Amino acid sequence: MNISRLITDHDRIDRIVVGLASIVDSPVPAPAGASSKLAELAEALTEHLGHEDSFIYPAIIAGDKTVFSTAATDFVRQFEALRRDWDNYLHAWTSAGIALAWPDFCRETQAMMIRLAARVRAENELLYMTALQQGVITLKDIRAAA
């Protein structure tokens, strides 16, 4: 896995977050659009986390540098709370629930989008740099360079 792929995933997630935030910030309720964008975000996050969880965290935690291992362990702990909240959020906000409680959905979505954007930023600035230093990820796709 290379950093370019991970950053591309994050860029996609950021675009979807911005789109969803735009929908919930609009004065005109758009439950169908919000529901569709939320499903798109859930899919993008699931795909991205499948990559990250499968190799980055375990490799850094198992690494020989305690400071990196501790940082990765902290990232995992912090993300466990966000993941639980995200799962609860997705469970609570079905298409029907969004339409019935639009103002509540908007308020909770704004808060969740802030948390997701902060997490993406932290991974880009801290986790991926650590993964590069540990040799867990590369700058480029090695197969493409060959």
Side-chain angles (χ1 to χ4, degrees):
M1 180 62 59
N2 64 68
I3 194 168
S4 176
R5 167 66 192 269
L6 295 166
I7 297 296
T8 298
D9 285 356
H10 277 180
D11 289 345
R12 176 180 175 214
I13 291 165
D14 280 338
R15 282 190 306 276
I16 299 168
V17 164
V18 167
L20 182 55
S22 175
I23 291 169
V24 299
D25 288 343
S26 172
V28 179
S35 182
S36 174
K37 191 61 74 174
L38 186 56
E40 183 182 357
L41 179 58
E43 180 183 320
L45 285 170
T46 298
E47 181 180 316
H48 176 70
L49 293 175
H51 300 188
E52 255 181 19
D53 289 352
S54 68
F55 71 92
I56 290 181
Y57 293 112
I60 293 174
I61 289 170
D64 60 354
K65 301 212 178 188
T66 305
V67 67
F68 294 144
S69 177
T70 302
T73 301
D74 289 344
F75 258 83
V76 168
R77 282 192 199 116
Q78 292 166 6
F79 191 62
E80 286 171 355
L82 178 57
R83 188 177 290 206
R84 271 191 312 276
D85 292 347
W86 171 251
D87 289 343
N88 290 336
Y89 167 85
L90 285 179
H91 181 72
W93 294 113
T94 62
S95 295
I98 291 170
L100 289 172
W102 179 254
D104 294 332
F105 169 75
C106 290
R107 188 174 39 261
E108 287 189 28
T109 298
Q110 289 164 341
M112 184 58 71
M113 295 308 100
I114 289 168
R115 290 178 68 192
L116 287 174
R119 180 61 188 207
V120 166
R121 196 169 39 258
E123 288 182 358
N124 285 346
E125 294 171 3
L126 301 171
L127 180 68
Y128 295 167
M129 295 308 109
T130 298
L132 279 168
Q133 290 174 351
Q134 288 287 95
V136 173
I137 60 176
T138 61
L139 283 174
K140 296 183 199 175
D141 186 354
I142 295 169
R143 292 172 304 198

